[in-house]
Amino acid sequence: MDLGQQQQRVVLAILLLNVNRSLNQQQLMSDLWGMTPPAHEVNLLQRHASGLRRVLEPGRRPRSPSRLLTWTAAGYRLTVPPDRLDLHDFDREVRRARAARSAGDLPAAAVALHEALGLSRGQVCEGLSGPSVEAERQRLEERRLKVLEERIEVDLDLRDPFDLVGELRRLVADQPTRESLYGLLMLALYRAGHQAEALAAFRQARRSSHERSSHERIGTEPTERLQRLHQRILAGDTALDVPQPSLAAASAAGLRSGPAGLGSSVTGSAYGPAGSGSVSAESGPQQPDRTTPWFPSNCRTT
């Protein structure tokens, strides 16, 4: 479809990010132009809405009501069925994963998380600009990263941890200020039998923290959670090892790494929006410390 000029595509993006909700003209114009609207902004917005109706419903007769983009007393509303928007699909898979994880079904959680992240194809609303779109892009990227960390946590209990080391090194390089990724890298290296490299990853996290604090002129050290993990690795804490029941369940479900397993699928290729909700791994059944994620707070989003 030819969605028209960039500003018209931005209007569509805003409506999709608020799908099945009504946005009044003032809100939509603020999302589109911020504090510097152009002259005749109401007419320009109406022109973009008309252009989108023609594109989205090419067979609609002139002046007949639109079934998709409607104008009501509350404002503009774009109606999209749940199965027609990838963000809806993503949220559904994340909810399914968190329910399975709370129930202790890690293989099912892993499959759902891989499915969710596999839906992403590049940056959200790539090439579009505007106050609302840019804010939503950052918010959805943060959600994606949290779900990606959750997927790695689950995979660490189900697969050979060394298979995840390369992905985690790339993620740390891309996100050098994200301490949770350093923790997952340290845990993966330790479980793979590379204790010295796990300790080196902590030193790398500490250097990154010091460089950031020097730039921002604040005193910063790795968080207590990361320091505690460092001490446990230093002491060779066997409670950090992969729980054997998880490995057995993964093997039975065919989720171990290899040509036919989950390890050969979308690992590390997903860069897109993340799921919503407030379900936490901590809300599931109580388990021994060695079987709970070392960074359970990553499983919680708002």
Side-chain angles (χ1 to χ4, degrees):
M1 290 182 176
D2 179 4
L3 296 173
Q5 60 176 292
Q6 185 183 46
Q7 213 167 70
Q8 185 166 293
R9 297 199 303 273
V10 174
V11 172
L12 177 60
I14 294 170
L15 290 168
L16 284 169
L17 290 167
N18 294 274
V19 72
N20 300 327
R21 291 173 49 200
S22 294
L23 296 177
N24 62 47
Q25 279 188 339
Q26 193 59 47
Q27 182 181 358
L28 197 47
M29 289 187 295
S30 176
D31 288 345
L32 185 57
W33 292 298
M35 302 297 292
T36 56
H40 311 295
E41 65 269 27
V42 174
N43 291 339
L44 192 55
L45 177 60
Q46 291 173 344
R47 189 185 311 161
H48 292 324
S50 296
L52 287 173
R53 289 190 183 103
R54 287 193 296 271
V55 172
L56 297 176
E57 298 176 279
R60 185 175 61 89
R61 296 172 59 185
R63 299 188 179 278
S64 62
S66 171
R67 295 179 298 105
L68 299 179
L69 179 53
T70 57
W71 168 255
T72 68
Y76 287 102
R77 178 187 179 94
L78 183 63
T79 302
V80 178
D83 61 344
R84 298 295 301 277
L85 193 65
D86 52 3
L87 189 56
H88 286 166
D89 294 339
F90 182 91
D91 289 341
R92 183 189 65 246
E93 292 301 320
V94 171
R95 287 194 299 269
R96 187 163 68 92
R98 289 174 176 167
R101 194 176 184 189
S102 293
D105 190 350
L106 294 186
V111 169
L113 288 168
H114 277 267
E115 289 288 336
L117 290 164
L119 291 168
S120 172
R121 295 179 300 278
Q123 196 178 57
V124 176
C125 301
E126 189 169 7
L128 301 182
S129 61
S132 176
V133 169
E134 290 165 9
E136 283 295 290
R137 181 184 294 128
Q138 293 177 12
R139 185 180 69 85
L140 292 173
E141 172 64 7
E142 177 63 25
R143 290 172 63 193
R144 179 195 71 83
L145 286 170
K146 288 186 177 182
V147 172
L148 178 59
E149 289 168 354
E150 185 176 350
R151 193 226 85 205
I152 293 171
E153 286 177 354
V154 173
D155 280 353
L156 275 172
D157 279 352
L158 294 175
R159 296 170 47 200
D160 184 340
F162 193 74
D163 290 344
L164 298 168
V165 169
E167 176 186 9
L168 282 164
R169 288 197 190 279
R170 290 192 298 273
L171 288 170
V172 163
D174 290 340
Q175 303 285 335
T177 63
R178 199 169 183 90
E179 192 176 276
S180 49
L181 291 173
Y182 284 104
L184 292 168
L185 175 60
M186 289 164 61
L187 185 59
L189 286 165
Y190 178 75
R191 285 185 173 181
H194 297 275
Q195 183 184 31
E197 291 187 52
L199 297 173
F202 175 79
R203 293 194 294 271
Q204 181 185 354
R206 194 171 189 179
R207 283 195 302 273
S208 175
S209 180
H210 287 173
E211 289 170 2
R212 185 168 70 256
S213 64
S214 175
H215 180 264
E216 298 171 356
R217 297 186 177 181
I218 56 174
T220 306
E221 286 285 332
T223 62
E224 181 182 349
R225 188 186 294 268
L226 196 66
Q227 293 186 48
R228 188 164 60 247
L229 177 64
H230 172 252
Q231 290 299 320
R232 293 177 70 183
I233 291 174
L234 196 62
D237 188 349
T238 58
L240 293 174
D241 294 342
V242 182
Q244 291 306 308
S246 293
L247 289 174
S251 180
L255 295 180
R256 298 305 302 275
S257 60
L262 199 58
S264 62
S265 60
V266 288
T267 305
S269 63
Y271 289 89
S276 60
S278 59
V279 180
S280 166
E282 294 170 321
S283 66
Q286 292 297 315
Q287 301 176 13
D289 182 66
R290 66 179 180 274
T291 63
T292 55
W294 86 274
F295 226 62
S297 62
N298 289 343
C299 306
R300 186 184 298 110
T301 62
T302 56

